[in-house]
Amino acid sequence: MLAMEYRGPKRVRAVQKPMPEIKHPEDAIVRVTRSCICGSDLHLYNGNVPDTRVGSTFGHEFVGEVVEIGPDVTNIKVGDNVIVPFNVSCGRCYFCQQGMFGNCHQANAMATAVGGIFGYSHTAGGFDGGQAEYARVPYANVGPTVIPPGMDLDDAVLLTDVVPTGYQAAEMAGIQKGDTVLVFGAGPVGIMAARCAWLFGAGRVIVLDKEDYRLEFVRNYAPCEAYNFEEIGDPVLFIKKQTDWLGADCVIDAVGAEAAGNVLQTITGRKTLLQAGSATALHWAINAVKKGGVVSIVGVYGPTDNLVPIGNAMNKGLTIRGNQTSVKRLLPRLIDHVQSGRLNPKALITHRLPMEEVADGYRLFSAKLDNCIKPILIPPTVTK
Amino acid sequence: MQTQRIDYTQINGWGVDADPENDPTYPMQHREDAPPRDIFYDRPPQQPITVEVLHSIERPDVTAVFGATLPPTGLSGVIRRFAFKYSENEYKHWLPLILADRVDVVEGVLKDLAHGHVPNIFAEKGYAVEWKYNRTAFVTKMATIVAVTVGTILLLNSGKDKKSKRK
Ligand SMILES: NC(=O)c1ccc[n+]([C@@H]2O[C@H](COP(=O)([O-])OP(=O)(O)OC[C@H]3O[C@@H](n4cnc5c(N)ncnc54)[C@H](O)[C@@H]3O)[C@@H](O)[C@H]2O)c1
Ligand SMILES: [Zn+2]
Ligand SMILES: [Zn+2]
């Protein structure tokens, strides 16, 4: 089968690989019909996630048709079209039982701090991902959810990560009616977080990024106020002035380790890996939130350390929340939001590429070329 | 530059998920709902361990499922095995893994060549789209790299010349 393959930092290609096999009685094999490239893949692509082995297939955002099931799979059947949450989760461990499907304790042997994630290095369980024609889906009774009749596959594939992550970012921010919510990052996740902030009753939503085309998009889509942080001077000071000098009530970090905006952070976090990614957005978030406010982190950082003003977090009495999204927990609510028209995920998709052109897709999305917001890959077996 | 304040009363779904209880400034978890702290509660069956799986020493065993397609191999594998002697709390775990990843890249190129395949790095890096959508910056970057490389080689060679003349 055709699959994306990692060869080293900023080097990927499409190759022929052996078909995935059932390795566990609760496995299923899914024929992929849509697969996205995500901001999270960029951390892998740039070589910044430890234990990313050459030959890995990435891809944690995919939907597809079930073509084979293990003997213990009862919740889905061959022929079902399913949304596959990006988390691998057993559904019965201490954490899954609390709805923390992003923190399953039976899905990642290699790191206890990280849950199991499809196509996300051995630090996230070593599973091959869905940027391929077929994928092995463990614990198929738990994650995969049948796509409701009539739902567009483009909407469905964004329910595997982008929509739930944007939503959980807003949820973790503890937004109270009327709150001013500040979102760092106008990538797919930040855009969705800004949109979802309104669902929780925000009174004002402000987004900062440096890509004008993304700011333009989010300004209309969320809708919200949106500013280019390269044009407003010190972004923290700018936000203080915008918020009666108090700071935003809630701040969301939807940027993570590839953040721009601070040379020291970029050199130590992205170029030399002295820290686990550049923490510029998180640094700004802690300083731009009001005292007693909430910082919600969905931006991904590596497993070592980051330079952030933790002393300010203490002095300001902040609450800091973060997580890998618990996709499975949120799916019923979000499917409803999509079906009722409150959320329109597929509007984010700007590029559709045949899977053979995966290397171009990564470059396009990574370098923010051709006004790219969200690229999806279409496997050759897919006709529509 | 100033963008317009949004009238949120017009937004479809405004406030439908508002929850005054979800205010994390105050304690909020309902402890009585927590399950027993037994992580082996109803443990799923074990995926047969047919390949080498390095597992974090912060857990007693390999998880019930795991990715099995890329067991550690070669020199990078030796380094990974060393890394997994230390917990996730230690740099001795993560830094060797990053080193192993870089060694793996070299091993990957060698394996490609051994299979008679010369990797098309230009294509793997997706430079075609840089050429298409970002030509000026891309050409400038490439020209700089070439200039710096050529400059460095010339500089090193001129150093050699002087040395050989001194002899
Ligand atoms: N927690 C989760 O479950 C989860 C799930 C999906 C994605 N993520 C993470 O969310 C983050 C965003 O993902 P994405 O797909 O939107 O990525 P993306 O790369 O498309 O978007 C990131 C955006 O941040 C902007 N940016 C860079 N530096 C900034 C700064 N200092 N301040 C403000 N904006 C800045 C970039 O210009 C870019 O538009 C990534 O770190 C990704 O790994 C987390
Ligand atoms: Zn993702
Ligand atoms: Zn679990």
Side-chain angles (χ1 to χ4, degrees), chain A residues 138-179:
Chain A
Y139 299 135
N141 286 322
V142 181
T145 302
V146 174
I147 301 175
M151 181 178 279
D152 194 316
L153 290 184
D154 290 356
D155 281 328
V157 74
L158 293 179
L159 282 167
T160 61
D161 183 348
V162 170
V163 180
T165 299
Y167 187 89
Q168 186 167 320
E171 185 190 50
M172 290 191 298
I175 299 166
Q176 298 297 302
K177 277 195 173 163
D179 273 356

Side-chain angles (χ1 to χ4, degrees), chain B residues 39-116:
Chain B
I39 61 165
F40 297 116
Y41 179 82
D42 189 18
R43 193 184 197 277
Q46 180 65 48
Q47 173 181 340
I49 304 175
T50 52
V51 293
E52 180 181 2
V53 185
L54 297 170
H55 76 82
S56 166
I57 60 167
E58 288 184 47
R59 57 175 305 124
D61 54 6
V62 173
T63 45
V65 301
F66 53 87
T69 48
L70 286 173
T73 54
L75 177 60
S76 60
V78 172
I79 304 172
R80 292 191 210 283
R81 283 180 204 112
F82 168 82
F84 273 85
K85 290 193 169 70
Y86 300 95
S87 82
E88 295 160 58
N89 186 45
E90 301 238 28
Y91 282 112
K92 277 184 273 188
H93 179 71
W94 298 111
L95 299 184
L97 283 176
I98 295 174
L99 174 66
D101 289 350
R102 299 301 174 260
V103 171
D104 204 359
V105 173
V106 179
E107 289 176 324
V109 172
L110 294 179
K111 256 180 237 164
D112 262 355
L113 295 176
H115 286 98

Side-chain angles (χ1 to χ4, degrees), chain A residues 39-40 43 161 188-189 209 214 254-255 260 298 300 323-325 368:
Chain A
S40 296
H43 316 313
D161 183 348
V189 171
D209 199 297
R214 290 183 165 205
V255 180
V298 288
V300 164
N323 211 340
Q324 290 287 351
T325 303
K368 317 292 183 238

Side-chain angles (χ1 to χ4, degrees), chain A residues 66-139:
Chain A
V66 179
V67 292
E68 194 185 342
I69 53 173
D72 291 354
V73 175
T74 49
N75 282 355
I76 54 169
K77 55 184 192 309
V78 170
D80 281 349
N81 281 298
V82 289
I83 296 168
V84 183
F86 77 80
N87 334 95
V88 177
S89 35
C90 77
R92 56 209 122 157
C93 70
Y94 181 64
F95 302 107
C96 284
Q97 281 191 67
Q98 298 175 75
M100 297 166 74
F101 296 101
N103 310 94
C104 177
H105 212 60
Q106 282 301 349
N108 178 7
M110 293 90 194
T112 55
V114 190
I117 304 175
F118 287 99
Y120 211 74
S121 85
H122 276 69
T123 293
F127 300 99
D128 276 334
Q131 288 167 8
E133 281 180 280
Y134 294 87
R136 170 194 168 212
V137 176
Y139 299 135

Side-chain angles (χ1 to χ4, degrees), chain A residues 265-288:
Chain A
Q265 288 274 2
T266 301
I267 291 174
T268 54
R270 284 165 53 195
K271 305 292 179 202
T272 56
L273 299 191
L274 292 173
Q275 42 165 342
S278 150
T280 306
L282 184 53
H283 185 127
W284 290 348
I286 289 172
N287 288 341

Side-chain angles (χ1 to χ4, degrees), chain A residues 329-348:
Chain A
R329 173 177 69 83
L330 295 170
L331 268 185
R333 183 72 180 141
L334 295 174
I335 287 174
D336 182 48
H337 280 328
V338 172
Q339 289 187 315
S340 68
R342 284 187 288 268
L343 293 177
N344 172 16
K346 68 168 182 277
L348 270 58

